[in-house]
Amino acid sequence: MTRLLPHPLLFLALLAMWLLLNQSVSPGHLVLGAIVALVASWTLSVFRMEPVRLRRPRAMVRLALRVLVDIFRSNLAVGTIILTGSRGGGRAGFMTIPLDLRSQGGLAMLAIILTATPGTLWMNYDAAKGELLLHVLDLVDEDHWTTLIKQRYERLLMEIFE
């Protein structure tokens, strides 16, 4: 059964999303959605990802709230930069941050957090060195950004994923 349908929950979620986006449960949409969901779940099984074991639900809630607050603050800061043209002495630039986080799931979540936060963009991760290349719109102090990411996100992600 797992050979035919390697990720049944993903299959059902993708099929449901397909039907919701098309706003139809006609036989044609059911068949086409099932084919798309089946191909996507087969494609995902090729990656052979490590199993994710989530720990510490309180840390997950703290991280989610922290990310929401940071995204709101970043939206205000980026909006101010765009509307006023003032960067407060900062400049756009690249920086390297050493990470202790090694879990694939944790790194993927950190990539999502940093890319979803306006003003920052995950550029590259060097697994051999454990270094993240990050682009920052308003780069004033690299040490500040390193401390911010390691203390606000990496520590909680390590609690959750490792």
Side-chain angles (χ1 to χ4, degrees):
M1 181 67 181
T2 59
R3 192 183 277 174
L4 177 64
L5 199 59
H7 301 286
L9 292 177
L10 176 67
F11 172 82
L12 291 174
L14 290 174
L15 179 60
M17 184 185 306
W18 179 272
L19 296 174
L20 285 171
L21 288 172
N22 287 296
Q23 298 178 359
S24 172
V25 289
S26 69
H29 279 293
L30 281 169
V31 170
L32 190 56
I35 290 170
V36 169
L38 189 62
V39 169
S41 65
W42 284 341
T43 304
L44 184 64
S45 68
V46 171
F47 291 118
R48 291 180 175 61
M49 297 182 307
E50 68 183 30
V52 175
R53 187 177 286 203
L54 300 176
R55 297 173 185 85
R56 309 212 194 253
R58 287 184 183 161
M60 288 189 272
V61 171
R62 280 196 331 253
L63 179 65
L65 292 174
R66 189 171 287 176
V67 168
L68 288 174
V69 168
D70 288 349
I71 287 175
F72 180 76
R73 285 181 183 169
S74 292
N75 272 307
L76 291 177
V78 169
T80 302
I81 290 170
I82 291 171
L83 292 175
T84 64
S86 170
R87 293 181 186 236
R91 68 191 186 329
F94 294 92
M95 61 177 290
T96 304
I97 300 174
L99 294 178
D100 299 320
L101 182 64
R102 296 291 183 252
S103 165
Q104 289 179 352
L107 289 168
M109 186 60 63
L110 183 61
I112 291 168
I113 290 168
L114 292 176
T115 303
T117 305
T120 59
L121 182 63
W122 174 293
M123 297 301 295
N124 187 34
Y125 176 70
D126 185 352
K129 295 179 183 177
E131 291 180 342
L132 161 67
L133 179 62
L134 185 70
H135 181 268
V136 179
L137 178 64
D138 191 22
L139 183 60
V140 176
D141 182 16
E142 287 188 22
D143 292 334
H144 166 74
W145 279 99
T146 301
T147 304
L148 180 89
I149 289 169
K150 292 187 80 57
Q151 294 300 316
R152 287 190 67 82
Y153 304 127
E154 185 184 30
R155 185 177 47 81
L156 281 172
L157 287 168
M158 288 175 74
E159 280 184 43
I160 295 167
F161 286 96
E162 294 182 352

